[in-house]
Amino acid sequence: MGLFKKVLVANRGEIATRVIRACKELDIPTVAIYSEEDATSLYVKKADESYMVGPGPIQGYLNIHRLVDLATKVGVDAIHPGYGFLSENPRFPQLCEKKGITFIGPTSKTIAEMGDKVMARKMMKKAEVPILPGTENSIKDIDEAVAFADEIGYPVMIKASGGGGGRGLRVARNKEELINQISTAKKESAAAFGVSEVFLEKYLEKPHHIEFQILADKHGNVVHLGERDCSIQRRHQKLIEITPSLILDEGLRKRMGEAAVKAARAADYTNAGTVEFLVDSQRNFYFLEMNTRIQVEHPITEEVTGIDLVKKQIEIAAGKPLGFKQEDVRVNGFAMECRICAEDPKNNFFPSFGRVTAYYSPGGIGVRIDGAIYKDFIIPSYYDSLVVKLVVKGSTWDETVSRMHRCLDEFVIRGVKTTILFLKNIMRDEDFKAGNFDTGYIDRKPELMAYDEYGEPTDLVAAIAAAIAAHHGL
Ligand code: MV4
């Protein structure tokens, strides 16, 4: 008998498959939901039961009342939200609780508090987790903003209290910019998050983005599972994540890990979560935000620690104690994730949809594929362009990079444009190989866009070859 009678996976794509896999290993039946566009998705076939939810491609994944009603009707006693969609909507766990369903994630209160970036800063300050100099509250008017910026010095960043993950951010390098940006920032924030509140923070130039994975059970045990370096990003979309970070030494790792655990305790955290930090060139670190969900890049932490994070989420939600202590956590070797997206890097990473005409995924030692596509699958245009997470593990950094390069070389995806060749260029880049990268890396390297997609066999070539073969009766 499993920990739950039945789990509903309130998500789609690769993360739905990931959660179903954990449930199968825990002997828990699963329920998938899908839109018309997702009817042919793999996760729909892998779940024990699947229900179409609508209307349209998006709404069915977001309607908390309908989902909880469905869960009740089909005998579900726990819901896993995955990432995105409803994963950080505090009303979802609230409604689940009301209906006697376990939400596999933190409490509604923690999600709401950490979603409010001003509140999160206050709680971290009180807990003595380092934060950047910034306004204590959201700013009342332009005069207050100008006075504060004069006090801490330019450049400053304007951030939306309701924002996060790179949304609603603006940099002001002087008083004029600050005055100009504040009113537009407020308007944008009101439109995007329903709250116009913004606050100021000292702006760090080209920091490293380092996040710590934490696990917290319902019995007061909190541990961290080391860090992930997510500095390789483009417009706040992560492209590559690695663990452990090449810029931390044991001393700094220990101090940041302790700060992450302190942050989790201050937030009264339970389940799996991530504490994001910015690290400057002098290796000072500052709390940035807390992500109250399982993240896209969680597999690299699983690969180096051997801990199945999604299983732990389910066990914690069921009330089981963690079962290990901080000193039991061992990090082995290196792991890297490349996000393979259906996008055209040469056309400003514009999304690419349609039928996958050929698919061959790499394999061999140290390789893990968390994917959502197969030959003849039609990639819908309505969702995130992430189609496969290619994760490799190696005993050294050099081995991990050359393994990733080898895997990207083996990967065949035809019919849609992908980021594979662009990622392969990164694996060949001397700065990347030497660990010289921060959040400004991609913008500094336009040469990464230079690759010859026609050097690869294209669909047309494959089609002509097939026609010739047929003509000759081969
Ligand atoms: C910052 C910053 C510099 N200074 N805050 C971007 C994501 C969102 N969570 C916060 N972000 C940033 N906040 C201060 N005070 C720079 C960024 C930032 C960034 C952070 C992590 C990874 C990539 C980034 C790319 C640009 C800006």
Side-chain angles (χ1 to χ4, degrees), residues 65-80:
H65 291 280
R66 287 255 201 105
L67 290 182
V68 172
D69 283 350
L70 171 68
T72 306
K73 206 177 87 194
V74 302
V76 157
D77 55 354
I79 297 182
H80 195 299

Side-chain angles (χ1 to χ4, degrees), residues 117 121 132-133 155-159 163-167 169 171 200-210 230-238 276-278 288-289 291 438-440 443:
K117 305 303 162 190
R121 271 176 60 88
L132 280 156
V156 295
M157 202 165 208
I158 308 162
K159 296 188 169 188
R167 299 169 311 163
L169 297 174
V171 183
L200 292 189
E201 216 171 64
K202 178 85 189 164
Y203 178 66
L204 272 190
E205 304 273 0
K206 306 208 166 57
H208 290 262
H209 174 142
I210 308 282
C230 304
S231 299
I232 309 252
Q233 314 207 0
R234 186 187 162 272
R235 308 217 175 139
H236 304 293
Q237 295 285 5
K238 294 170 186 166
E276 290 187 6
F277 295 102
L278 291 182
L288 193 58
E289 53 190 68
N291 298 314
D438 54 39
T439 50
D443 289 339

